[in-house]
Amino acid sequence: MANARKRRINRLKYITNVFIKHGFGYVFSSTPLVRFKRFSENRINRGQRLKNALEELGTTFIKMGQLLANRPDLVPEDIIVELKKLQENVKPFSFEEVKNVLKEENLLEKFEYIEKEPIATASIGQVHIGYVNGQKVAIKVRRPNIDNEVKTDIEILRKLASILDRYSPVKSIISFSEIVNELANVLLHEIDFRFEQSNMKKLKKALSNKEVIIPDVYDELSSDKVLVTSFIEAKTLNAIDVDSLPQNERVKLGKKLINLYLSQIFELGIFHADPHPGNILITNDHDIAFVDFGMIGRLSSQDKESLSTLLLGIVLNDKKMAIKAFKELGIIGRGVDPNRFYREIESIVNHYINQPIASIKIAEIFNDVFKLTFKYKLKIPEQLVLLGRTLSLLENSIAILKVDLNILEAILPYVNRLILKSRLSKLRLTNILNVLFSYFNLFEFLPKKVETILDKLEDDEFILNIELKNLDKVLQRIERLANKFSLSIILLSVSIIIAGMTVGGLLSPALYKTILSTWYLWALRLGILILISLIIVMLLMIIRKEK
């Protein structure tokens, strides 16, 4: 226990000294961690200096830098530019250590053969090719002791963050605790391969009817330290010879990849959230496969609708629509001047509205929004940050194919369908009947109420403090308006039912096949006949009243 505490203290001192060495002493100058020293705030090359400090501190801090590189709502732009250059550049660990991990998990004897050289290496683990019952598999093994290292660093970072949030001169700009909590959430899931195993199964089920390959998981051979999946014979997107592919094949592949991701986001609400070129595989038949499921994103129905409203508001230059979407997404909270924020949104919208849609980068839209939230010290919901990162990575991956494809153009049909579906869902029969019943109740009680009022007027029991002249003419006009209002309501109600039947048939493939069937045509004819009859009756009644 004492040794563990001493180790944490030494690690904390080392972290502090590394940041001081790279010119960030001013962050600690007002804290109990550093006494009797004065540091000047040096903003020159601060992004590069921070990148160097994080690389020196190892896995946990490199991951933190990579995480912050996608958070323009938390970090200034000049730092983000440098953090995006962070590379893990880790050496593989020895094959003996791989075997030791497999022995600890009682798995080594289950494999007929394992290739010594890894095919992929990262800070959390590395992947080897193996064979089980003659089948080629991918064996992902966690680095020895990486879990203890990460957990110790996170524990230290949480204590450090609580101190900085109290004493640091930049505490009003950055919430260190929020950054550490988000890092902890990502890393603690990433070092536990059971989390990735669960993600793979969820996405495989959700994408079962999509044209994408997702590896099978060998549950009996997997644990928190080891993940065994079927092996996919393919090359990573950044390893294929793009120039050797015909232009039409590249376009086809790019469209397939874009639609695959947009259908995940806007239709399923669950998506593979790390589409960098190394995680997208292309087979010889130009099929697409995904690997590395450490991060998946989720969007609720409300999130999808609000996001669609936001993108549509930007494209249509509808500032009110955009502001409404920001509120629904939870970006605009209390304490924000809506008029000032509205003007900022307007400037973003105006910037894009004068550009052809084909030239607009979706990553730029998200970055502009995130910069605005940084300016107003607003918190971006985690799912929106993950979505922005996913679409940005997807844009970069599409660029590798050297094709003229634009994600925003591809998004618009999904957005329109989603909004139309949302609007039409409110025209369900139950909703229409509720509206009709409310009007029937109104028409049932309205004549009695009017008659009561008129009786009281006739018996001088109804006292008004205003003088009405030409009361008969006024009542006549009211009656005419009531007639016209009644006609409008009835026509609207029947029209909605007929329109709902027609549009519903067009939207539903199953219903579309039967739309010309006898019962459907008779239902439409009956509805139209009722509509015409009501029009004639109401017109006759109005003409008689007019006389």
Side-chain angles (χ1 to χ4, degrees):
M1 185 71 179
N3 288 335
R5 185 172 182 273
K6 184 178 180 181
R7 189 166 58 249
R8 286 196 296 271
I9 291 173
N10 289 336
R11 177 66 172 165
L12 178 58
K13 287 180 180 177
Y14 177 70
I15 292 169
T16 306
N17 287 332
V18 168
F19 278 114
I20 291 173
K21 181 178 83 172
H22 288 279
F24 294 96
Y26 66 91
V27 175
F28 304 90
S29 60
S30 303
T31 72
L33 296 169
V34 180
R35 296 181 182 277
F36 312 115
K37 290 186 179 181
R38 292 291 177 266
F39 303 93
S40 60
E41 182 175 354
N42 180 10
R43 290 179 176 268
I44 300 174
N45 296 325
R46 60 182 181 177
Q48 184 178 357
R49 290 186 286 107
L50 179 59
K51 171 182 145 320
N52 294 338
L54 296 178
E55 283 180 332
E56 186 171 338
L57 289 169
T59 299
T60 306
F61 292 84
I62 290 172
K63 287 287 183 183
M64 181 169 68
Q66 292 172 338
L67 176 71
L68 292 177
N70 297 292
R71 295 306 303 261
D73 59 319
L74 298 177
V75 182
E77 186 176 9
D78 62 309
I79 292 180
I80 283 176
V81 170
E82 292 298 325
L83 292 183
K84 284 185 175 179
K85 299 176 184 176
L86 271 173
Q87 300 295 326
E88 297 187 54
N89 290 329
V90 291
K91 294 180 180 179
F93 52 97
S94 70
F95 187 61
E96 283 302 314
E97 289 175 298
V98 170
K99 290 197 294 184
N100 287 338
V101 172
L102 293 174
K103 281 179 184 177
E104 289 173 8
E105 301 298 302
N106 297 317
L107 294 173
L108 184 61
E109 301 302 322
K110 303 287 179 70
F111 298 100
E112 298 164 1
Y113 176 74
I114 302 173
E115 293 186 5
K116 291 185 177 181
E117 295 299 318
I119 58 172
T121 306
S123 59
I124 301 296
Q126 62 191 38
V127 181
H128 290 256
I129 292 175
Y131 292 86
V132 177
N133 298 326
Q135 297 293 316
K136 197 173 184 180
V137 296
I139 309 168
K140 186 175 181 179
V141 182
R142 192 173 71 187
R143 282 183 176 274
N145 206 41
I146 190 69
D147 55 332
N148 291 329
E149 179 186 324
V150 167
K151 288 173 183 176
T152 300
D153 278 349
I154 287 174
E155 187 179 343
I156 291 170
L157 281 171
R158 280 189 166 134
K159 291 180 179 178
L160 183 60
S162 65
I163 294 171
L164 292 175
D165 282 340
R166 290 178 62 190
Y167 298 103
S168 174
V170 295
K171 63 182 179 182
S172 61
I173 301 173
I174 298 175
S175 171
F176 293 95
S177 294
E178 279 188 17
I179 293 172
V180 172
N181 287 337
E182 190 167 340
L183 172 69
N185 183 53
V186 171
L187 267 180
L188 293 177
H189 279 140
E190 201 167 336
I191 62 175
D192 187 344
F193 289 168
R194 290 171 299 187
F195 181 73
E196 183 174 354
Q197 180 181 351
S198 174
N199 286 345
M200 288 180 71
K201 290 181 177 180
K202 288 174 184 174
L203 266 180
K204 191 174 183 69
K205 182 179 179 181
L207 297 173
S208 59
N209 62 343
K210 302 292 182 182
E211 294 183 15
V212 62
I213 301 171
I214 293 178
D216 294 316
V217 178
Y218 287 74
D219 292 324
E220 69 281 4
L221 300 176
S222 300
S223 67
D224 61 329
K225 298 178 183 178
V226 180
L227 178 62
V228 180
T229 68
S230 56
F231 186 82
I232 299 172
E233 296 288 352
K235 292 182 179 179
T236 60
L237 182 60
N238 54 357
I240 63 173
D241 185 3
V242 173
D243 294 324
S244 67
L245 290 176
Q247 176 71 11
N248 64 324
E249 285 294 331
R250 280 184 275 148
V251 170
K252 184 179 177 181
L253 194 59
K255 286 182 177 179
K256 187 177 179 180
L257 185 56
I258 289 173
N259 286 317
L260 185 56
Y261 264 92
L262 296 185
S263 64
Q264 289 180 73
I265 293 165
F266 290 98
E267 293 176 0
L268 302 175
I270 180 172
F271 55 94
H272 178 261
D274 199 13
H276 69 70
N279 288 339
I280 298 172
L281 306 184
I282 309 297
T283 69
N284 290 333
D285 296 327
H286 298 163
D287 290 325
I288 295 172
F290 294 153
V291 293
D292 195 343
F293 297 83
M295 283 191 290
I296 62 171
R298 290 181 177 83
L299 293 175
S300 66
S301 297
Q302 182 59 57
D303 289 334
K304 290 188 289 181
E305 187 174 345
S306 300
L307 178 65
S308 299
T309 303
L310 173 60
L311 293 172
L312 202 58
I314 290 174
V315 170
L316 297 177
N317 195 21
D318 189 329
K319 274 79 73 174
K320 289 185 179 179
M321 184 184 288
I323 288 288
K324 179 176 179 288
F326 275 111
K327 289 180 179 178
E328 290 174 348
L329 288 166
I331 298 173
I332 303 179
R334 294 180 180 179
V336 177
D337 181 354
N339 292 325
R340 186 178 168 195
F341 194 85
Y342 184 95
R343 288 192 293 272
E344 297 271 15
I345 292 295
E346 189 173 21
S347 66
I348 291 177
V349 173
N350 288 337
H351 170 70
Y352 289 106
I353 202 64
N354 296 320
Q355 300 181 33
I357 293 177
S359 68
I360 300 176
K361 300 293 185 184
I362 196 74
E364 292 176 2
I365 294 177
F366 275 96
N367 281 337
D368 284 341
V369 170
F370 291 163
K371 287 176 195 173
L372 189 59
T373 59
F374 178 80
K375 179 178 179 179
Y376 282 86
K377 297 182 178 62
L378 302 176
K379 172 70 174 172
I380 294 286
E382 185 178 349
Q383 72 272 17
L384 193 59
V385 173
L386 202 55
L387 176 63
R389 177 182 184 273
T390 300
L391 291 175
S392 298
L393 287 173
L394 181 60
E395 266 185 344
N396 294 337
S397 294
I398 295 298
I400 291 175
L401 294 171
K402 300 178 182 179
V403 289
D404 188 18
L405 293 174
N406 182 272
I407 292 181
L408 185 58
E409 277 186 306
I411 281 177
L412 291 180
Y414 286 91
V415 167
N416 288 329
R417 281 201 296 271
L418 191 63
I419 291 177
L420 178 62
K421 183 179 178 182
S422 172
R423 300 298 181 265
L424 289 176
S425 67
K426 296 172 184 177
L427 293 178
R428 287 186 302 226
L429 184 59
T430 52
N431 291 341
I432 294 171
L433 289 175
N434 287 335
V435 173
L436 288 176
F437 280 133
S438 67
Y439 281 120
F440 287 151
N441 290 332
L442 174 65
F443 290 137
E444 181 182 354
F445 293 108
L446 185 60
K448 293 180 181 179
K449 295 292 183 184
V450 172
E451 185 179 358
T452 302
I453 292 171
L454 292 175
D455 285 342
K456 288 189 176 185
L457 282 171
E458 187 177 352
D459 297 335
D460 293 330
E461 294 178 8
F462 193 90
I463 301 173
L464 292 174
N465 293 326
I466 58 173
E467 182 181 355
L468 290 176
K469 295 181 179 181
N470 300 321
L471 185 58
D472 291 338
K473 291 183 178 180
V474 171
L475 291 175
Q476 270 187 347
R477 289 179 182 175
I478 291 174
E479 190 173 5
R480 289 175 187 171
L481 288 173
N483 287 333
K484 291 176 181 178
F485 178 72
S486 302
L487 175 62
S488 301
I489 291 300
I490 292 172
L491 294 180
L492 177 61
S493 302
V494 179
S495 299
I496 286 174
I497 294 173
I498 294 173
M501 292 172 68
T502 305
V503 175
L506 293 173
L507 288 179
S508 170
L511 195 55
Y512 182 77
K513 294 178 182 178
T514 62
I515 193 169
L516 296 178
S517 64
T518 305
W519 71 267
Y520 207 95
L521 283 174
W522 275 110
L524 287 175
R525 287 170 184 166
L526 181 60
I528 295 170
L529 182 61
I530 293 171
L531 179 61
I532 294 171
S533 302
L534 287 171
I535 292 172
I536 294 171
V537 171
M538 291 300 296
L539 285 175
L540 288 173
M541 290 175 64
I542 291 172
I543 290 169
R544 288 181 60 187
K545 290 288 184 181
E546 292 290 332
K547 290 179 178 179

